Every structure is written in structure tokens, then in C-alpha cells.
mmCIF file with all atom_site columns, all heavy atoms in Angstrom:
data_model
loop_
_atom_site.group_PDB
_atom_site.id
_atom_site.type_symbol
_atom_site.label_atom_id
_atom_site.label_alt_id
_atom_site.label_comp_id
_atom_site.label_asym_id
_atom_site.label_entity_id
_atom_site.label_seq_id
_atom_site.pdbx_PDB_ins_code
_atom_site.Cartn_x
_atom_site.Cartn_y
_atom_site.Cartn_z
_atom_site.occupancy
_atom_site.B_iso_or_equiv
_atom_site.pdbx_formal_charge
_atom_site.auth_seq_id
_atom_site.auth_comp_id
_atom_site.auth_asym_id
_atom_site.auth_atom_id
_atom_site.pdbx_PDB_model_num
ATOM 1   N N   . ARG A 1 1  ? 45.996 -36.986 253.914 1.00 0.00 ? 1  ARG A N   1
ATOM 2   C CA  . ARG A 1 1  ? 47.028 -37.878 254.411 1.00 0.00 ? 1  ARG A CA  1
ATOM 3   C C   . ARG A 1 1  ? 48.371 -37.342 253.926 1.00 0.00 ? 1  ARG A C   1
ATOM 4   O O   . ARG A 1 1  ? 48.441 -36.611 252.950 1.00 0.00 ? 1  ARG A O   1
ATOM 5   C CB  . ARG A 1 1  ? 46.822 -39.302 253.892 1.00 0.00 ? 1  ARG A CB  1
ATOM 6   C CG  . ARG A 1 1  ? 45.636 -40.032 254.463 1.00 0.00 ? 1  ARG A CG  1
ATOM 7   C CD  . ARG A 1 1  ? 45.652 -41.494 254.113 1.00 0.00 ? 1  ARG A CD  1
ATOM 8   N NE  . ARG A 1 1  ? 46.818 -42.182 254.654 1.00 0.00 ? 1  ARG A NE  1
ATOM 9   C CZ  . ARG A 1 1  ? 47.060 -43.470 254.499 1.00 0.00 ? 1  ARG A CZ  1
ATOM 10  N NH1 . ARG A 1 1  ? 46.230 -44.208 253.783 1.00 0.00 ? 1  ARG A NH1 1
ATOM 11  N NH2 . ARG A 1 1  ? 48.120 -44.030 255.006 1.00 0.00 ? 1  ARG A NH2 1
ATOM 12  N N   . THR A 1 2  ? 49.428 -37.747 254.592 1.00 0.00 ? 2  THR A N   1
ATOM 13  C CA  . THR A 1 2  ? 50.726 -37.308 254.124 1.00 0.00 ? 2  THR A CA  1
ATOM 14  C C   . THR A 1 2  ? 51.025 -37.940 252.764 1.00 0.00 ? 2  THR A C   1
ATOM 15  O O   . THR A 1 2  ? 50.631 -39.064 252.478 1.00 0.00 ? 2  THR A O   1
ATOM 16  C CB  . THR A 1 2  ? 51.851 -37.698 255.111 1.00 0.00 ? 2  THR A CB  1
ATOM 17  O OG1 . THR A 1 2  ? 51.774 -39.098 255.327 1.00 0.00 ? 2  THR A OG1 1
ATOM 18  C CG2 . THR A 1 2  ? 51.653 -36.981 256.434 1.00 0.00 ? 2  THR A CG2 1
ATOM 19  N N   . PHE A 1 3  ? 51.709 -37.182 251.961 1.00 0.00 ? 3  PHE A N   1
ATOM 20  C CA  . PHE A 1 3  ? 51.897 -37.531 250.554 1.00 0.00 ? 3  PHE A CA  1
ATOM 21  C C   . PHE A 1 3  ? 53.055 -38.471 250.332 1.00 0.00 ? 3  PHE A C   1
ATOM 22  O O   . PHE A 1 3  ? 53.215 -39.028 249.260 1.00 0.00 ? 3  PHE A O   1
ATOM 23  C CB  . PHE A 1 3  ? 52.101 -36.247 249.755 1.00 0.00 ? 3  PHE A CB  1
ATOM 24  C CG  . PHE A 1 3  ? 51.507 -36.246 248.388 1.00 0.00 ? 3  PHE A CG  1
ATOM 25  C CD1 . PHE A 1 3  ? 50.635 -37.221 247.960 1.00 0.00 ? 3  PHE A CD1 1
ATOM 26  C CD2 . PHE A 1 3  ? 51.857 -35.245 247.496 1.00 0.00 ? 3  PHE A CD2 1
ATOM 27  C CE1 . PHE A 1 3  ? 50.101 -37.204 246.701 1.00 0.00 ? 3  PHE A CE1 1
ATOM 28  C CE2 . PHE A 1 3  ? 51.326 -35.211 246.220 1.00 0.00 ? 3  PHE A CE2 1
ATOM 29  C CZ  . PHE A 1 3  ? 50.438 -36.196 245.838 1.00 0.00 ? 3  PHE A CZ  1
ATOM 30  N N   . ASN A 1 4  ? 53.893 -38.651 251.354 1.00 0.00 ? 4  ASN A N   1
ATOM 31  C CA  . ASN A 1 4  ? 55.145 -39.309 251.110 1.00 0.00 ? 4  ASN A CA  1
ATOM 32  C C   . ASN A 1 4  ? 55.042 -40.842 251.025 1.00 0.00 ? 4  ASN A C   1
ATOM 33  O O   . ASN A 1 4  ? 56.068 -41.522 250.948 1.00 0.00 ? 4  ASN A O   1
ATOM 34  C CB  . ASN A 1 4  ? 56.213 -38.914 252.142 1.00 0.00 ? 4  ASN A CB  1
ATOM 35  C CG  . ASN A 1 4  ? 55.786 -39.270 253.543 1.00 0.00 ? 4  ASN A CG  1
ATOM 36  O OD1 . ASN A 1 4  ? 54.744 -39.886 253.754 1.00 0.00 ? 4  ASN A OD1 1
ATOM 37  N ND2 . ASN A 1 4  ? 56.603 -38.895 254.515 1.00 0.00 ? 4  ASN A ND2 1
ATOM 38  N N   . SER A 1 5  ? 53.820 -41.377 251.004 1.00 0.00 ? 5  SER A N   1
ATOM 39  C CA  . SER A 1 5  ? 53.671 -42.809 250.772 1.00 0.00 ? 5  SER A CA  1
ATOM 40  C C   . SER A 1 5  ? 52.891 -43.069 249.496 1.00 0.00 ? 5  SER A C   1
ATOM 41  O O   . SER A 1 5  ? 52.403 -44.182 249.284 1.00 0.00 ? 5  SER A O   1
ATOM 42  C CB  . SER A 1 5  ? 52.961 -43.457 251.958 1.00 0.00 ? 5  SER A CB  1
ATOM 43  O OG  . SER A 1 5  ? 51.667 -42.893 252.142 1.00 0.00 ? 5  SER A OG  1
ATOM 44  N N   . TYR A 1 6  ? 52.792 -42.069 248.624 1.00 0.00 ? 6  TYR A N   1
ATOM 45  C CA  . TYR A 1 6  ? 52.053 -42.204 247.374 1.00 0.00 ? 6  TYR A CA  1
ATOM 46  C C   . TYR A 1 6  ? 52.964 -42.003 246.172 1.00 0.00 ? 6  TYR A C   1
ATOM 47  O O   . TYR A 1 6  ? 53.729 -41.050 246.104 1.00 0.00 ? 6  TYR A O   1
ATOM 48  C CB  . TYR A 1 6  ? 50.930 -41.181 247.315 1.00 0.00 ? 6  TYR A CB  1
ATOM 49  C CG  . TYR A 1 6  ? 49.791 -41.429 248.263 1.00 0.00 ? 6  TYR A CG  1
ATOM 50  C CD1 . TYR A 1 6  ? 49.833 -40.941 249.567 1.00 0.00 ? 6  TYR A CD1 1
ATOM 51  C CD2 . TYR A 1 6  ? 48.680 -42.150 247.878 1.00 0.00 ? 6  TYR A CD2 1
ATOM 52  C CE1 . TYR A 1 6  ? 48.802 -41.171 250.444 1.00 0.00 ? 6  TYR A CE1 1
ATOM 53  C CE2 . TYR A 1 6  ? 47.621 -42.385 248.739 1.00 0.00 ? 6  TYR A CE2 1
ATOM 54  C CZ  . TYR A 1 6  ? 47.687 -41.899 250.029 1.00 0.00 ? 6  TYR A CZ  1
ATOM 55  O OH  . TYR A 1 6  ? 46.664 -42.123 250.895 1.00 0.00 ? 6  TYR A OH  1
ATOM 56  N N   . ALA A 1 7  ? 52.823 -42.909 245.191 1.00 0.00 ? 7  ALA A N   1
ATOM 57  C CA  . ALA A 1 7  ? 53.389 -42.635 243.865 1.00 0.00 ? 7  ALA A CA  1
ATOM 58  C C   . ALA A 1 7  ? 52.402 -41.745 243.144 1.00 0.00 ? 7  ALA A C   1
ATOM 59  O O   . ALA A 1 7  ? 51.190 -41.865 243.334 1.00 0.00 ? 7  ALA A O   1
ATOM 60  C CB  . ALA A 1 7  ? 53.605 -43.933 243.111 1.00 0.00 ? 7  ALA A CB  1
ATOM 61  N N   . VAL A 1 8  ? 52.920 -40.823 242.346 1.00 0.00 ? 8  VAL A N   1
ATOM 62  C CA  . VAL A 1 8  ? 52.068 -39.827 241.700 1.00 0.00 ? 8  VAL A CA  1
ATOM 63  C C   . VAL A 1 8  ? 52.344 -39.789 240.206 1.00 0.00 ? 8  VAL A C   1
ATOM 64  O O   . VAL A 1 8  ? 53.492 -39.943 239.760 1.00 0.00 ? 8  VAL A O   1
ATOM 65  C CB  . VAL A 1 8  ? 52.307 -38.441 242.317 1.00 0.00 ? 8  VAL A CB  1
ATOM 66  C CG1 . VAL A 1 8  ? 51.501 -37.372 241.580 1.00 0.00 ? 8  VAL A CG1 1
ATOM 67  C CG2 . VAL A 1 8  ? 51.932 -38.451 243.797 1.00 0.00 ? 8  VAL A CG2 1
ATOM 68  N N   . GLY A 1 9  ? 51.289 -39.581 239.446 1.00 0.00 ? 9  GLY A N   1
ATOM 69  C CA  . GLY A 1 9  ? 51.432 -39.434 238.008 1.00 0.00 ? 9  GLY A CA  1
ATOM 70  C C   . GLY A 1 9  ? 50.696 -38.210 237.516 1.00 0.00 ? 9  GLY A C   1
ATOM 71  O O   . GLY A 1 9  ? 49.751 -37.746 238.154 1.00 0.00 ? 9  GLY A O   1
ATOM 72  N N   . TRP A 1 10 ? 51.176 -37.686 236.389 1.00 0.00 ? 10 TRP A N   1
ATOM 73  C CA  . TRP A 1 10 ? 50.463 -36.626 235.682 1.00 0.00 ? 10 TRP A CA  1
ATOM 74  C C   . TRP A 1 10 ? 49.931 -37.224 234.369 1.00 0.00 ? 10 TRP A C   1
ATOM 75  O O   . TRP A 1 10 ? 50.642 -37.934 233.656 1.00 0.00 ? 10 TRP A O   1
ATOM 76  C CB  . TRP A 1 10 ? 51.356 -35.450 235.360 1.00 0.00 ? 10 TRP A CB  1
ATOM 77  C CG  . TRP A 1 10 ? 51.636 -34.549 236.506 1.00 0.00 ? 10 TRP A CG  1
ATOM 78  C CD1 . TRP A 1 10 ? 52.751 -34.552 237.318 1.00 0.00 ? 10 TRP A CD1 1
ATOM 79  C CD2 . TRP A 1 10 ? 50.811 -33.470 236.994 1.00 0.00 ? 10 TRP A CD2 1
ATOM 80  N NE1 . TRP A 1 10 ? 52.644 -33.556 238.273 1.00 0.00 ? 10 TRP A NE1 1
ATOM 81  C CE2 . TRP A 1 10 ? 51.472 -32.851 238.085 1.00 0.00 ? 10 TRP A CE2 1
ATOM 82  C CE3 . TRP A 1 10 ? 49.589 -32.959 236.580 1.00 0.00 ? 10 TRP A CE3 1
ATOM 83  C CZ2 . TRP A 1 10 ? 50.946 -31.789 238.784 1.00 0.00 ? 10 TRP A CZ2 1
ATOM 84  C CZ3 . TRP A 1 10 ? 49.051 -31.880 237.283 1.00 0.00 ? 10 TRP A CZ3 1
ATOM 85  C CH2 . TRP A 1 10 ? 49.734 -31.309 238.364 1.00 0.00 ? 10 TRP A CH2 1
ATOM 86  N N   . PHE A 1 11 ? 48.680 -36.871 234.064 1.00 0.00 ? 11 PHE A N   1
ATOM 87  C CA  . PHE A 1 11 ? 48.066 -37.272 232.815 1.00 0.00 ? 11 PHE A CA  1
ATOM 88  C C   . PHE A 1 11 ? 47.454 -36.027 232.155 1.00 0.00 ? 11 PHE A C   1
ATOM 89  O O   . PHE A 1 11 ? 47.284 -35.002 232.834 1.00 0.00 ? 11 PHE A O   1
ATOM 90  C CB  . PHE A 1 11 ? 46.946 -38.298 233.079 1.00 0.00 ? 11 PHE A CB  1
ATOM 91  C CG  . PHE A 1 11 ? 47.484 -39.625 233.583 1.00 0.00 ? 11 PHE A CG  1
ATOM 92  C CD1 . PHE A 1 11 ? 47.833 -39.780 234.909 1.00 0.00 ? 11 PHE A CD1 1
ATOM 93  C CD2 . PHE A 1 11 ? 47.610 -40.697 232.727 1.00 0.00 ? 11 PHE A CD2 1
ATOM 94  C CE1 . PHE A 1 11 ? 48.337 -40.989 235.388 1.00 0.00 ? 11 PHE A CE1 1
ATOM 95  C CE2 . PHE A 1 11 ? 48.090 -41.935 233.187 1.00 0.00 ? 11 PHE A CE2 1
ATOM 96  C CZ  . PHE A 1 11 ? 48.449 -42.059 234.494 1.00 0.00 ? 11 PHE A CZ  1
ATOM 97  N N   . ARG A 1 12 ? 47.110 -36.118 230.902 1.00 0.00 ? 12 ARG A N   1
ATOM 98  C CA  . ARG A 1 12 ? 46.449 -35.014 230.240 1.00 0.00 ? 12 ARG A CA  1
ATOM 99  C C   . ARG A 1 12 ? 45.426 -35.515 229.241 1.00 0.00 ? 12 ARG A C   1
ATOM 100 O O   . ARG A 1 12 ? 45.542 -36.627 228.708 1.00 0.00 ? 12 ARG A O   1
ATOM 101 C CB  . ARG A 1 12 ? 47.471 -34.099 229.558 1.00 0.00 ? 12 ARG A CB  1
ATOM 102 C CG  . ARG A 1 12 ? 48.197 -34.734 228.372 1.00 0.00 ? 12 ARG A CG  1
ATOM 103 C CD  . ARG A 1 12 ? 49.256 -33.797 227.852 1.00 0.00 ? 12 ARG A CD  1
ATOM 104 N NE  . ARG A 1 12 ? 49.958 -34.353 226.695 1.00 0.00 ? 12 ARG A NE  1
ATOM 105 C CZ  . ARG A 1 12 ? 51.017 -33.770 226.122 1.00 0.00 ? 12 ARG A CZ  1
ATOM 106 N NH1 . ARG A 1 12 ? 51.498 -32.621 226.590 1.00 0.00 ? 12 ARG A NH1 1
ATOM 107 N NH2 . ARG A 1 12 ? 51.572 -34.340 225.088 1.00 0.00 ? 12 ARG A NH2 1
ATOM 108 N N   . GLN A 1 13 ? 44.450 -34.687 229.002 1.00 0.00 ? 13 GLN A N   1
ATOM 109 C CA  . GLN A 1 13 ? 43.413 -35.031 228.033 1.00 0.00 ? 13 GLN A CA  1
ATOM 110 C C   . GLN A 1 13 ? 43.104 -33.805 227.173 1.00 0.00 ? 13 GLN A C   1
ATOM 111 O O   . GLN A 1 13 ? 42.633 -32.771 227.701 1.00 0.00 ? 13 GLN A O   1
ATOM 112 C CB  . GLN A 1 13 ? 42.156 -35.520 228.726 1.00 0.00 ? 13 GLN A CB  1
ATOM 113 C CG  . GLN A 1 13 ? 41.104 -36.054 227.758 1.00 0.00 ? 13 GLN A CG  1
ATOM 114 C CD  . GLN A 1 13 ? 39.999 -36.831 228.452 1.00 0.00 ? 13 GLN A CD  1
ATOM 115 O OE1 . GLN A 1 13 ? 39.770 -36.638 229.645 1.00 0.00 ? 13 GLN A OE1 1
ATOM 116 N NE2 . GLN A 1 13 ? 39.316 -37.693 227.719 1.00 0.00 ? 13 GLN A NE2 1
ATOM 117 N N   . ALA A 1 14 ? 43.356 -33.928 225.908 1.00 0.00 ? 14 ALA A N   1
ATOM 118 C CA  . ALA A 1 14 ? 43.046 -32.876 224.957 1.00 0.00 ? 14 ALA A CA  1
ATOM 119 C C   . ALA A 1 14 ? 41.639 -33.073 224.437 1.00 0.00 ? 14 ALA A C   1
ATOM 120 O O   . ALA A 1 14 ? 41.105 -34.177 224.469 1.00 0.00 ? 14 ALA A O   1
ATOM 121 C CB  . ALA A 1 14 ? 44.072 -32.910 223.796 1.00 0.00 ? 14 ALA A CB  1
ATOM 122 N N   . PRO A 1 15 ? 41.027 -32.017 223.915 1.00 0.00 ? 15 PRO A N   1
ATOM 123 C CA  . PRO A 1 15 ? 39.648 -32.125 223.395 1.00 0.00 ? 15 PRO A CA  1
ATOM 124 C C   . PRO A 1 15 ? 39.551 -33.209 222.323 1.00 0.00 ? 15 PRO A C   1
ATOM 125 O O   . PRO A 1 15 ? 40.352 -33.242 221.391 1.00 0.00 ? 15 PRO A O   1
ATOM 126 C CB  . PRO A 1 15 ? 39.378 -30.742 222.823 1.00 0.00 ? 15 PRO A CB  1
ATOM 127 C CG  . PRO A 1 15 ? 40.286 -29.842 223.578 1.00 0.00 ? 15 PRO A CG  1
ATOM 128 C CD  . PRO A 1 15 ? 41.520 -30.618 223.862 1.00 0.00 ? 15 PRO A CD  1
ATOM 129 N N   . GLY A 1 16 ? 38.568 -34.084 222.511 1.00 0.00 ? 16 GLY A N   1
ATOM 130 C CA  . GLY A 1 16 ? 38.356 -35.135 221.509 1.00 0.00 ? 16 GLY A CA  1
ATOM 131 C C   . GLY A 1 16 ? 39.323 -36.295 221.564 1.00 0.00 ? 16 GLY A C   1
ATOM 132 O O   . GLY A 1 16 ? 39.278 -37.180 220.692 1.00 0.00 ? 16 GLY A O   1
ATOM 133 N N   . LYS A 1 17 ? 40.220 -36.283 222.528 1.00 0.00 ? 17 LYS A N   1
ATOM 134 C CA  . LYS A 1 17 ? 41.212 -37.364 222.625 1.00 0.00 ? 17 LYS A CA  1
ATOM 135 C C   . LYS A 1 17 ? 41.111 -38.061 223.974 1.00 0.00 ? 17 LYS A C   1
ATOM 136 O O   . LYS A 1 17 ? 40.527 -37.563 224.926 1.00 0.00 ? 17 LYS A O   1
ATOM 137 C CB  . LYS A 1 17 ? 42.626 -36.789 222.447 1.00 0.00 ? 17 LYS A CB  1
ATOM 138 C CG  . LYS A 1 17 ? 42.878 -36.212 221.072 1.00 0.00 ? 17 LYS A CG  1
ATOM 139 C CD  . LYS A 1 17 ? 44.321 -35.814 220.910 1.00 0.00 ? 17 LYS A CD  1
ATOM 140 C CE  . LYS A 1 17 ? 44.605 -35.313 219.511 1.00 0.00 ? 17 LYS A CE  1
ATOM 141 N NZ  . LYS A 1 17 ? 46.050 -34.932 219.330 1.00 0.00 ? 17 LYS A NZ  1
ATOM 142 N N   . GLU A 1 18 ? 41.687 -39.264 224.020 1.00 0.00 ? 18 GLU A N   1
ATOM 143 C CA  . GLU A 1 18 ? 41.717 -39.999 225.270 1.00 0.00 ? 18 GLU A CA  1
ATOM 144 C C   . GLU A 1 18 ? 42.785 -39.404 226.199 1.00 0.00 ? 18 GLU A C   1
ATOM 145 O O   . GLU A 1 18 ? 43.745 -38.777 225.760 1.00 0.00 ? 18 GLU A O   1
ATOM 146 C CB  . GLU A 1 18 ? 42.014 -41.470 224.984 1.00 0.00 ? 18 GLU A CB  1
ATOM 147 C CG  . GLU A 1 18 ? 40.932 -42.178 224.216 1.00 0.00 ? 18 GLU A CG  1
ATOM 148 C CD  . GLU A 1 18 ? 41.184 -43.667 224.093 1.00 0.00 ? 18 GLU A CD  1
ATOM 149 O OE1 . GLU A 1 18 ? 42.299 -44.127 224.457 1.00 0.00 ? 18 GLU A OE1 1
ATOM 150 O OE2 . GLU A 1 18 ? 40.289 -44.375 223.622 1.00 0.00 ? 18 GLU A OE2 1
ATOM 151 N N   . ARG A 1 19 ? 42.578 -39.668 227.467 1.00 0.00 ? 19 ARG A N   1
ATOM 152 C CA  . ARG A 1 19 ? 43.550 -39.225 228.439 1.00 0.00 ? 19 ARG A CA  1
ATOM 153 C C   . ARG A 1 19 ? 44.855 -40.018 228.246 1.00 0.00 ? 19 ARG A C   1
ATOM 154 O O   . ARG A 1 19 ? 44.824 -41.219 228.020 1.00 0.00 ? 19 ARG A O   1
ATOM 155 C CB  . ARG A 1 19 ? 43.034 -39.421 229.856 1.00 0.00 ? 19 ARG A CB  1
ATOM 156 C CG  . ARG A 1 19 ? 43.857 -38.796 230.931 1.00 0.00 ? 19 ARG A CG  1
ATOM 157 C CD  . ARG A 1 19 ? 43.052 -38.483 232.179 1.00 0.00 ? 19 ARG A CD  1
ATOM 158 N NE  . ARG A 1 19 ? 42.362 -39.628 232.710 1.00 0.00 ? 19 ARG A NE  1
ATOM 159 C CZ  . ARG A 1 19 ? 41.493 -39.559 233.733 1.00 0.00 ? 19 ARG A CZ  1
ATOM 160 N NH1 . ARG A 1 19 ? 41.212 -38.369 234.286 1.00 0.00 ? 19 ARG A NH1 1
ATOM 161 N NH2 . ARG A 1 19 ? 40.891 -40.633 234.159 1.00 0.00 ? 19 ARG A NH2 1
ATOM 162 N N   . GLU A 1 20 ? 45.994 -39.314 228.363 1.00 0.00 ? 20 GLU A N   1
ATOM 163 C CA  . GLU A 1 20 ? 47.279 -39.946 228.129 1.00 0.00 ? 20 GLU A CA  1
ATOM 164 C C   . GLU A 1 20 ? 48.250 -39.645 229.251 1.00 0.00 ? 20 GLU A C   1
ATOM 165 O O   . GLU A 1 20 ? 48.172 -38.608 229.924 1.00 0.00 ? 20 GLU A O   1
ATOM 166 C CB  . GLU A 1 20 ? 47.886 -39.476 226.804 1.00 0.00 ? 20 GLU A CB  1
ATOM 167 C CG  . GLU A 1 20 ? 48.264 -38.034 226.756 1.00 0.00 ? 20 GLU A CG  1
ATOM 168 C CD  . GLU A 1 20 ? 49.011 -37.658 225.462 1.00 0.00 ? 20 GLU A CD  1
ATOM 169 O OE1 . GLU A 1 20 ? 49.210 -38.519 224.608 1.00 0.00 ? 20 GLU A OE1 1
ATOM 170 O OE2 . GLU A 1 20 ? 49.364 -36.470 225.338 1.00 0.00 ? 20 GLU A OE2 1
ATOM 171 N N   . PHE A 1 21 ? 49.169 -40.580 229.436 1.00 0.00 ? 21 PHE A N   1
ATOM 172 C CA  . PHE A 1 21 ? 50.195 -40.448 230.459 1.00 0.00 ? 21 PHE A CA  1
ATOM 173 C C   . PHE A 1 21 ? 51.202 -39.351 230.080 1.00 0.00 ? 21 PHE A C   1
ATOM 174 O O   . PHE A 1 21 ? 51.577 -39.214 228.919 1.00 0.00 ? 21 PHE A O   1
ATOM 175 C CB  . PHE A 1 21 ? 50.915 -41.788 230.604 1.00 0.00 ? 21 PHE A CB  1
ATOM 176 C CG  . PHE A 1 21 ? 52.162 -41.738 231.429 1.00 0.00 ? 21 PHE A CG  1
ATOM 177 C CD1 . PHE A 1 21 ? 52.084 -41.718 232.798 1.00 0.00 ? 21 PHE A CD1 1
ATOM 178 C CD2 . PHE A 1 21 ? 53.404 -41.680 230.828 1.00 0.00 ? 21 PHE A CD2 1
ATOM 179 C CE1 . PHE A 1 21 ? 53.247 -41.667 233.573 1.00 0.00 ? 21 PHE A CE1 1
ATOM 180 C CE2 . PHE A 1 21 ? 54.558 -41.644 231.579 1.00 0.00 ? 21 PHE A CE2 1
ATOM 181 C CZ  . PHE A 1 21 ? 54.475 -41.633 232.973 1.00 0.00 ? 21 PHE A CZ  1
ATOM 182 N N   . VAL A 1 22 ? 51.649 -38.610 231.103 1.00 0.00 ? 22 VAL A N   1
ATOM 183 C CA  . VAL A 1 22 ? 52.648 -37.567 230.898 1.00 0.00 ? 22 VAL A CA  1
ATOM 184 C C   . VAL A 1 22 ? 53.922 -37.885 231.664 1.00 0.00 ? 22 VAL A C   1
ATOM 185 O O   . VAL A 1 22 ? 55.015 -37.901 231.085 1.00 0.00 ? 22 VAL A O   1
ATOM 186 C CB  . VAL A 1 22 ? 52.100 -36.197 231.309 1.00 0.00 ? 22 VAL A CB  1
ATOM 187 C CG1 . VAL A 1 22 ? 53.196 -35.134 231.207 1.00 0.00 ? 22 VAL A CG1 1
ATOM 188 C CG2 . VAL A 1 22 ? 50.889 -35.829 230.483 1.00 0.00 ? 22 VAL A CG2 1
ATOM 189 N N   . ALA A 1 23 ? 53.794 -38.104 232.966 1.00 0.00 ? 23 ALA A N   1
ATOM 190 C CA  . ALA A 1 23 ? 54.976 -38.347 233.787 1.00 0.00 ? 23 ALA A CA  1
ATOM 191 C C   . ALA A 1 23 ? 54.571 -38.991 235.109 1.00 0.00 ? 23 ALA A C   1
ATOM 192 O O   . ALA A 1 23 ? 53.420 -38.863 235.524 1.00 0.00 ? 23 ALA A O   1
ATOM 193 C CB  . ALA A 1 23 ? 55.726 -37.027 234.055 1.00 0.00 ? 23 ALA A CB  1
ATOM 194 N N   . ALA A 1 24 ? 55.535 -39.677 235.746 1.00 0.00 ? 24 ALA A N   1
ATOM 195 C CA  . ALA A 1 24 ? 55.269 -40.301 237.034 1.00 0.00 ? 24 ALA A CA  1
ATOM 196 C C   . ALA A 1 24 ? 56.496 -40.220 237.916 1.00 0.00 ? 24 ALA A C   1
ATOM 197 O O   . ALA A 1 24 ? 57.617 -40.100 237.414 1.00 0.00 ? 24 ALA A O   1
ATOM 198 C CB  . ALA A 1 24 ? 54.844 -41.771 236.843 1.00 0.00 ? 24 ALA A CB  1
ATOM 199 N N   . ILE A 1 25 ? 56.244 -40.268 239.224 1.00 0.00 ? 25 ILE A N   1
ATOM 200 C CA  . ILE A 1 25 ? 57.337 -40.190 240.186 1.00 0.00 ? 25 ILE A CA  1
ATOM 201 C C   . ILE A 1 25 ? 57.045 -41.123 241.337 1.00 0.00 ? 25 ILE A C   1
ATOM 202 O O   . ILE A 1 25 ? 55.902 -41.289 241.752 1.00 0.00 ? 25 ILE A O   1
ATOM 203 C CB  . ILE A 1 25 ? 57.509 -38.728 240.677 1.00 0.00 ? 25 ILE A CB  1
ATOM 204 C CG1 . ILE A 1 25 ? 58.805 -38.580 241.507 1.00 0.00 ? 25 ILE A CG1 1
ATOM 205 C CG2 . ILE A 1 25 ? 56.288 -38.242 241.444 1.00 0.00 ? 25 ILE A CG2 1
ATOM 206 C CD1 . ILE A 1 25 ? 59.203 -37.122 241.738 1.00 0.00 ? 25 ILE A CD1 1
ATOM 207 N N   . SER A 1 26 ? 58.102 -41.786 241.811 1.00 0.00 ? 26 SER A N   1
ATOM 208 C CA  . SER A 1 26 ? 57.938 -42.704 242.938 1.00 0.00 ? 26 SER A CA  1
ATOM 209 C C   . SER A 1 26 ? 57.737 -41.917 244.233 1.00 0.00 ? 26 SER A C   1
ATOM 210 O O   . SER A 1 26 ? 57.976 -40.697 244.301 1.00 0.00 ? 26 SER A O   1
ATOM 211 C CB  . SER A 1 26 ? 59.186 -43.570 243.072 1.00 0.00 ? 26 SER A CB  1
ATOM 212 O OG  . SER A 1 26 ? 60.356 -42.758 243.280 1.00 0.00 ? 26 SER A OG  1
#
């Protein structure tokens, strides 16, 4: 689908750690 109706976020997960928020864009 076209991407221009989605908000997007980046997350990361390091070994042995929970996934965490990095950045988001409208």
C-alpha cells in the first residue's frame, strides 16, 4: 500500500534487553 497514510517508528533491541523506542515520524 502507499506509505503516505502511515505513521512510522523505529525501534531497536540489543542482546538481552527489551525492545526500545528510537524515533517516530508522522
Side-chain angles (χ1 to χ4, degrees):
R1 291 191 61 180
T2 56
F3 215 12
N4 60 4
S5 60
Y6 290 86
V8 175
W10 282 99
F11 293 79
R12 68 185 181 185
Q13 187 167 21
K17 295 187 177 181
E18 294 187 351
R19 189 156 55 187
E20 65 174 1
F21 169 79
V22 175
I25 189 166
S26 59

